[in-house]
């Protein structure tokens, strides 16, 4: 039995997770940050020194890790647990961001993650997931599909401001933009479920929109289908 499903896909730093979190809060839906799951797997692999080419190593890693979420104290957003340990901060480290695309390009990794993600949608409650392949692969029957983009320059600018505010990165604006462009290319050109807009998804370019504007546009789409 599945509840109402909302899929938000798009490139990194397009604002997907911020908007998805707020919508989930407003609608009282389950929110799933699928990028955090790929990041947690990547962290586990880096810790166990399993390279992205080591398929057997990846398979046994996947068979043995647990990835769980818990609501953050502020109500917004989530804590991410890898094998029971809170890795919410660690999965945002540069070394994870730099390695995650290579691991998430692996078919074995994707099949395992997609199966985990679908289980969240089976609770009967409404779900909102953000990622790269939610509308195309994970939830092909989602009632609302959004493809959220913004220019690489604007996304780098936002990520930079976010880092400054959190005070946990020394990465320059130019480096951030280069990393965003590299990940876009990697995610869009991989063989296994590349980043692409589902044919029935609504395209939203947020370059010149505020988060509040993006949120109300998506909410309007949801209300049409509820
Ligand atoms: O969304 P976020 O930037 O945290 O995702 C990190 C990486 O995880 C992406 O660059 C992409 O390689 C991978 N990913 C994916 N499929 C998803 C979500 C994330 O391949 N559904």
């Amino acid at each position: 039995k599945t509840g109402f499903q909302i899929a938000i896909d798009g490139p990194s730093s397009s604002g997907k997770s911020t908007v998805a979190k707020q919508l989930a809060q407003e609608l009282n839906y389950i929110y799933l940050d699928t990028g955090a799951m790929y990041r947690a797997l990547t962290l586990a692999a880096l810790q166990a020194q399993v390279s992205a080419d080591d398929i057997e190593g990846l398979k046994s890693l996947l068979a043995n890790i647990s990835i769980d979420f818990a609501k953050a104290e502020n109500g917004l957003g989530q804590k991410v647990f890898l094998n029971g340990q809170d890795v919410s901060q660690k999965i945002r480290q540069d070394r994870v961001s730099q390695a995650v695309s290579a691991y998430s390009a692996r078919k074995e990794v994707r099949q395992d993650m997609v199966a985990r993600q679908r289980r969240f949608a089976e609770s009967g409650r409404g779900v909102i997931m953000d990622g790269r392949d939610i509308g195309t692969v994970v939830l092909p029957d989602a009632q609302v599909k959004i493809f959220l983009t913004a220019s690489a320059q604007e996304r780098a600018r936002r990520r930079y401001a976010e880092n400054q505010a959190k005070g946990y990165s020394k990465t320059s604006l130019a480096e951030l933009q280069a990393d965003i462009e590299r990940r876009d290319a990697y995610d869009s050109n991989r063989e296994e479920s590349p980043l692409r807009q589902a044919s029935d998804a609504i395209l939203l370019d947020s370059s010149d929109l505020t988060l509040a504007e993006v949120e109300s546009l998506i909410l309007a789409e949801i209300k049409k289908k509820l």
Side-chain angles (χ1 to χ4, degrees):
K1 180 178 164 289
T2 55
F4 198 84
Q5 301 179 340
I6 303 166
I8 303 187
D9 290 300
S12 57
S13 310
S14 59
K16 300 184 300 293
S17 59
T18 312
V19 169
K21 262 178 233 167
Q22 280 174 10
L23 288 169
Q25 171 96 340
E26 263 166 65
L27 298 162
N28 192 27
Y29 282 8
I30 295 171
Y31 164 61
L32 192 64
D33 176 354
T34 64
M37 297 176 69
Y38 288 95
R39 287 171 178 275
L41 174 272
T42 300
L43 178 66
L46 293 174
Q47 286 174 344
Q49 298 188 5
V50 173
S51 82
D53 305 320
D54 178 1
I55 301 300
E56 289 311 312
L58 283 174
K59 279 192 196 161
S60 74
L61 192 67
L62 288 164
N64 288 297
I65 59 168
S66 67
I67 300 174
D68 302 289
F69 293 92
K71 223 174 175 129
E73 282 90 40
N74 62 10
L76 266 192
Q78 297 176 321
K79 283 187 171 179
V80 186
F81 295 86
L82 172 64
N83 300 326
Q85 294 231 317
D86 184 351
V87 293
S88 315
Q89 305 280 322
K90 273 196 183 148
I91 60 166
R92 305 291 158 194
Q93 287 171 351
D94 289 343
R95 67 182 184 120
V96 174
S97 300
Q98 278 153 17
V100 63
S101 285
Y103 288 95
S104 30
R106 292 283 169 239
K107 181 177 76 209
E108 290 76 8
V109 170
R110 303 207 69 81
Q111 283 172 345
D112 183 279
M113 292 294 139
V114 168
R116 291 177 198 243
Q117 290 154 13
R118 286 188 181 144
R119 260 177 255 139
F120 280 91
E122 284 164 6
S123 69
R125 273 181 65 194
V127 288
I128 176 158
M129 290 193 199
D130 76 62
R132 303 293 186 287
D133 59 341
I134 309 305
T136 52
V137 177
V138 183
L139 303 176
D141 300 324
Q143 286 88 342
V144 175
K145 297 182 185 180
I146 306 289
F147 196 80
L148 189 61
T149 63
S151 68
Q153 201 181 7
E154 176 59 21
R155 287 183 281 136
R157 208 191 52 71
R158 290 179 192 167
R159 185 50 60 96
Y160 187 75
E162 201 180 301
N163 284 349
Q164 295 291 94
K166 287 180 185 160
Y168 66 53
S169 183
K170 298 168 226 62
T171 320
S172 73
L173 186 60
E175 281 171 306
L176 283 175
Q177 186 169 337
D179 181 58
I180 281 174
E181 285 169 348
R182 187 183 54 77
R183 272 208 283 151
D184 283 359
Y186 208 120
D187 293 345
S188 306
N189 295 315
R190 72 184 174 211
E191 213 159 298
E192 287 298 324
S193 31
L195 170 67
R196 64 179 175 79
Q197 185 182 344
S199 56
D200 52 350
I202 296 155
L203 176 66
L204 253 183
D205 186 330
S206 74
S207 302
D208 300 314
L209 300 173
T210 64
L211 280 172
E213 287 169 330
V214 171
E215 198 189 327
S216 70
L217 284 169
I218 298 178
L219 207 49
E221 294 300 331
I222 295 168
K223 286 185 174 150
K224 283 187 208 165
K225 302 283 172 69
L226 270 177

